[in-house]
């Protein structure tokens, strides 16, 4: 169902690629042209500002949620900055009966702001699950884990768009949202479509090799990105350095989470339950 819906939505993705091509003033859009930002933001955020913006952004979720987040972010649950010897990335670790701990490596850019909101979404999910559930039921599955985090991201983006001080700043936030859907909904579903295809081939007894993997992967790339994006043949090998494929049927779970959080954020922003 996910693959069917993503494929039905490919015209919207193609429109975004055409917009990117026009804004970058390119005659031909290549795969590598999808990585540079088409807008820039000359604004920096301190960790206290990240906290204030995230707390403000979640107001549509209600006063109780907002107060719980405000109280949590005021505590010493967070290790925010990179330093020598510290593991990279962003991670929330939760243990039943103890508040979550967040490991982040924040800088002062918008990406760090969205990471802050994202990880606190995970933390709040754990706080509320622990409060509402006994130990056997409090740990949630990956299939639902990314809903709370990406819902926070979308609420934050809505706030930033509404508070943008210039048209250029507003374009930046809107492009970040478009990139969010491209990377988390379409790209992850594209990966899932490839993973499903190679498993189905194996189940039918078809011979599988690196060349066959590349042939399947290139066909799916072309279906998602062309004609707006020129897909060169060398991209067929991209499957070989995507580690998610070594964890069977894991990567697809991001996409329905994002679809769910888009539904929830739209509903709450409109004042619904």
């Amino acid at each position: 169902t996910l693959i069917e819906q993503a494929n039905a939505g490919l015209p919207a993705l193609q429109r975004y690629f055409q917009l990117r091509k026009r804004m970058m003033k390119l005659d031909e859009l290549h795969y590598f042209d999808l990585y540079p930002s088409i807008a820039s933001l000359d604004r920096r955020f301190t960790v206290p500002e990240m906290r204030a913006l995230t707390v403000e952004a979640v107001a549509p979720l209600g006063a109780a949620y907002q107060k719980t987040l405000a109280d949590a972010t005021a505590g010493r649950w967070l290790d925010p900055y990179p330093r020598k010897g510290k593991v990279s990335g962003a991670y929330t670790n939760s243990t039943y009966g103890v508040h979550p701990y967040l490991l982040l490596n924040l800088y002062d850019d918008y990406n760090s702001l969205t990471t802050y909101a994202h990880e606190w979404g995970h933390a709040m999910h754990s706080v509320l699950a622990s409060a509402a559930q006994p130990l056997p039921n409090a740990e949630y599955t990956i299939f639902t884990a990314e809903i709370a985090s990406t819902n926070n991201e979308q609420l934050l983006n809505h706030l930033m768009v509404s508070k943008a001080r210039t048209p250029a700043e507003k374009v930046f936030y809107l492009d970040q949202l478009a990139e969010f859907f491209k990377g988390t909904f379409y790209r992850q579903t594209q990966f899932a479509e490839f993973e499903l295809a190679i498993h189905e081939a194996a189940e039918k007894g078809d011979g599988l090799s690196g060349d066959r993997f590349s042939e399947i992967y290139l066909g799916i790339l072309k279906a998602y990105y062309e004609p707006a994006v020129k897909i060169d043949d060398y991209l067929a090998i991209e499957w070989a350095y995507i580690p998610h494929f070594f964890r069977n049927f894991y990567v697809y779970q991001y996409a329905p989470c994002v679809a769910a959080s888009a539904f929830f954020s739209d509903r709450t922003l409109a004042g619904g339950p």
Side-chain angles (χ1 to χ4, degrees):
T1 300
L2 172 65
I3 291 169
E4 288 173 0
Q5 292 301 312
N7 277 269
L10 286 176
L13 184 64
Q14 289 285 316
R15 283 179 60 201
Y16 173 62
F17 291 149
Q18 294 290 357
L19 173 66
R20 170 173 277 272
K21 177 181 175 182
R22 188 165 73 247
M23 292 191 70
M24 295 180 75
K25 298 181 171 60
L26 295 172
D27 295 328
E28 188 173 57
L29 193 69
H30 286 260
Y31 200 64
F32 48 77
D33 293 316
L34 301 179
Y35 289 91
S37 177
I38 60 174
S40 60
L41 180 67
D42 184 21
R43 183 178 176 184
R44 294 291 173 256
F45 304 92
T46 64
V47 171
E49 287 172 330
M50 293 178 189
R51 174 178 180 259
L53 287 167
T54 301
V55 171
E56 183 180 358
V58 301
L61 295 176
Y65 184 100
Q66 193 176 36
K67 183 181 185 305
T68 302
L69 177 61
D71 291 344
T73 52
R76 297 183 63 186
W77 302 12
L78 170 66
D79 182 6
Y81 300 115
R83 61 180 179 274
K84 186 176 181 179
K86 182 180 177 181
V87 69
S88 62
Y91 187 73
T92 300
N93 187 28
S94 301
T95 302
Y96 192 81
V98 182
H99 67 69
Y101 289 91
L102 291 79
L103 181 147
L104 278 71
N105 287 275
L106 300 173
Y107 294 92
D108 58 357
D109 56 8
Y110 182 72
N111 183 61
S112 288
L113 170 58
T114 61
T115 300
Y116 182 96
H118 180 107
E119 291 303 322
W120 276 108
H122 286 309
M124 285 293 293
H125 194 171
S126 296
V127 167
L128 297 175
S130 294
Q133 300 291 343
L135 174 59
N137 296 336
E139 185 174 349
Y140 41 85
T141 66
I142 295 174
F143 192 76
T144 58
E146 297 299 331
I147 297 177
S149 56
T150 57
N151 186 62
N152 269 18
E153 283 193 70
Q154 292 178 72
L155 292 175
L156 174 68
N157 187 275
H158 176 83
L159 175 72
M160 301 308 288
V161 168
S162 70
K163 292 168 72 80
R165 294 169 290 192
T166 65
E169 184 179 356
K170 186 174 184 179
V171 167
F172 174 85
Y173 297 135
L174 291 172
D175 180 54
Q176 292 296 304
L177 186 62
E179 283 293 306
F180 170 81
F181 282 110
K182 175 181 77 70
T184 314
F185 182 78
Y186 286 106
R187 184 167 168 83
Q188 304 304 325
T189 306
Q190 167 209 319
F191 289 166
E193 188 165 346
F194 168 75
E195 193 172 19
L196 179 63
I198 61 176
H199 278 263
E200 287 180 338
E203 288 166 3
K204 290 189 295 186
D206 293 350
L208 288 173
S209 64
D211 288 342
R212 179 63 178 136
F213 284 164
S214 294
E215 179 186 351
I216 294 170
Y217 191 84
L218 186 63
I220 293 171
L221 267 185
K222 289 178 180 288
Y224 274 72
Y225 291 89
E226 290 186 342
V229 181
K230 175 73 169 71
I231 297 298
D232 299 294
D233 288 345
Y234 70 81
L235 292 166
I237 198 64
E238 187 182 35
W239 65 267
Y241 52 88
I242 296 171
H244 297 76
F245 296 146
F246 297 95
R247 297 180 63 180
N248 292 348
F249 294 104
Y250 159 72
V251 71
Y252 81 93
Q253 297 179 91
Y254 286 111
C257 284
V258 168
S261 64
F263 173 82
F264 291 139
S265 59
D266 283 351
R267 173 72 65 87
T268 51
L269 286 166

